[in-house]
Amino acid sequence: MLHLHLDRSSALPAYSQLMEQVRHYVASGVLRPGDKLPSIRAAARYLGVNPATVVKAYGELEHAGVLCREHGRGVFVAERMKAMPAKERQAELRRHARSLAVRAVQLDAPEETVLRLVTEELEALRGEAAP
Amino acid sequence: MLHLHLDRSSALPAYSQLMEQVRHYVASGVLRPGDKLPSIRAAARYLGVNPATVVKAYGELEHAGVLCREHGRGVFVAERMKAMPAKERQAELRRHARSLAVRAVQLDAPEETVLRLVTEELEALRGEAAP
Amino acid sequence: MLHLHLDRSSALPAYSQLMEQVRHYVASGVLRPGDKLPSIRAAARYLGVNPATVVKAYGELEHAGVLCREHGRGVFVAERMKAMPAKERQAELRRHARSLAVRAVQLDAPEETVLRLVTEELEALRGEAAP
Amino acid sequence: MLHLHLDRSSALPAYSQLMEQVRHYVASGVLRPGDKLPSIRAAARYLGVNPATVVKAYGELEHAGVLCREHGRGVFVAERMKAMPAKERQAELRRHARSLAVRAVQLDAPEETVLRLVTEELEALRGEAAP
DNA sequence: GTGGTCTAGACCACT
DNA sequence: GTGGTCTAGACCACC
């Protein structure tokens, strides 16, 4: 059973937190292409939210090419990431990298610490895929 | 004059975009401790937004320890970043590093590309401070 | 054996995709009046769907006058299209033409390109009938 | 005031009908880039539907690059259609052209009638833009 | 069983 | 004022 949880005190809306967790499981390989996700109702019950909230999260992830909803059958991890133009991909990554860099400078963290953190997180994602 | 701009179609609210830009200028050294920021009215006029939007951005940044409002005199870059506990600092950086890592894996970017992007952004910040 | 296939990730329901394919084969002459269609069970097995899905598709097509179910014998292409009032026929065609036109304008496609596409598709249908 | 209306007996969901109408107004030039659409609440009141239904329609049109929602300000026609890869654009047009061609053959309409309908619809869209 | 749509209404966030 | 999120619950469509 997939572990999902919400931080009700977070500034991010619930549907957005759910999206991030699913993205994480897909990125880490815990969820693989073709895998079935918890049904909308099951996830809603488990998280203690309204089914419509899960519908929104799953729907947005479908738009993003991460999931694939099949009427009457369920929701699945998409077989292949929707081809995003290389330029857009690079731009998205750079936005996240810049955001990290700005915080690092403000918090006065040395470059090596920042790079180490990124490496650790990348390895953590790979690690989860193993079993 | 500080260059500020908004992407009205962005998902991020205007005040949040403004905050990010101020953080960027402070991180890069374009704005140094003690520097005066544009007045709320001037910034609002320049950006074409409601002054309340600038008030909110400056207020949040004051709360975060980046700015320092002095009644009747204006808004300034704080002399020293409010001391954030090392643990919190690490946690904030790790959150950003994780977010970058998740996207990198999903977009299938190799580790070296990711690290290069981060290094580039860190250097870009340092570069802006020089002149 | 008739080639049938489903796109499970499509927004259109399975029964609707099946209908469209049968319509296509009938329009192109691959299926001619009186021809027998695959049995409900055979089609369901071939497509990997629930027989009820095929029942629904065949049923709707019978209602539209494209097919003709004969109890105990099978499902056949109707001898003559059920006479649809000229006015309704025109209206249905115009609906599809308008939908095409709206997309063409939005996608900034020149008129000649649009007309060429339509001509090509009409010829493709005629071409399939030949052999 | 923009004319909007729903056919409650239609098989298409209300939000989808709304989308089609907005697409039509944008394609015809009745709505031009930058134009403000009726607010979500105003449109909902006018159409006699729940605001959430309009939210869904506007949201999907934003994903499609037709509209642009700005928190607290309103919903506007996007300045420029999101660049869709030429290949996808062609594919979308061809799908609509094929659907038209299939119906034309089934309804036994001669090629010239079909092409005339398409031309008429394209001209109708251009005509509405004039004033 | 699954997902899809819609309502009525609440409360929050942004400008 | 604007749009954004969420709830509780209904009913429909698909498989």
Side-chain angles (χ1 to χ4, degrees), chain D residues 4 11-13 39 49-51 53 55-56 69 72 76 80 85 87 90-91 93 97 100 116 120 128:
Chain D
L4 297 172
L12 286 95
S39 81
V49 299
N50 189 293
T53 304
V55 168
K56 168 129 190 181
R69 293 183 291 179
F76 303 84
R80 43 193 179 72
K87 205 173 161 184
Q90 182 88 344
L93 278 184
L100 173 62
R116 183 173 48 73
E120 280 176 18
E128 290 177 35

Side-chain angles (χ1 to χ4, degrees), chain D residues 108-129:
Chain D
D108 202 29
E111 175 164 346
E112 57 180 44
T113 300
V114 182
L115 295 181
R116 183 173 48 73
L117 277 171
V118 174
T119 305
E120 280 176 18
E121 290 300 326
L122 282 168
E123 273 165 14
L125 287 176
R126 284 201 208 91
E128 290 177 35

Side-chain angles (χ1 to χ4, degrees), chain D residues 11-55:
Chain D
L12 286 95
Y15 85 92
S16 177
Q17 294 181 48
L18 215 193
M19 283 176 68
E20 194 62 26
Q21 285 174 63
V22 173
R23 290 192 110 104
H24 189 276
Y25 284 127
V26 172
S28 70
V30 169
L31 284 174
R32 293 156 175 287
D35 281 0
K36 192 174 185 306
L37 273 84
S39 81
I40 289 177
R41 289 160 166 85
R45 222 177 310 124
Y46 183 69
L47 288 166
V49 299
N50 189 293
T53 304
V54 181
V55 168

Side-chain angles (χ1 to χ4, degrees), chain D residues 53-131:
Chain D
T53 304
V54 181
V55 168
K56 168 129 190 181
Y58 282 6
E60 293 285 317
L61 285 169
E62 185 180 37
H63 266 123
V66 176
L67 301 182
C68 170
R69 293 183 291 179
E70 298 184 19
H71 200 138
R73 302 192 33 187
V75 178
F76 303 84
V77 177
E79 285 301 330
R80 43 193 179 72
M81 260 318 263
K82 201 168 74 185
M84 197 189 275
K87 205 173 161 184
E88 262 187 57
R89 250 171 36 189
Q90 182 88 344
E92 166 141 5
L93 278 184
R94 190 174 286 282
R95 263 197 307 111
H96 282 88
R98 178 166 304 171
S99 168
L100 173 62
V102 166
R103 264 74 183 179
V105 171
Q106 265 173 22
L107 299 176
D108 202 29
E111 175 164 346
E112 57 180 44
T113 300
V114 182
L115 295 181
R116 183 173 48 73
L117 277 171
V118 174
T119 305
E120 280 176 18
E121 290 300 326
L122 282 168
E123 273 165 14
L125 287 176
R126 284 201 208 91
E128 290 177 35

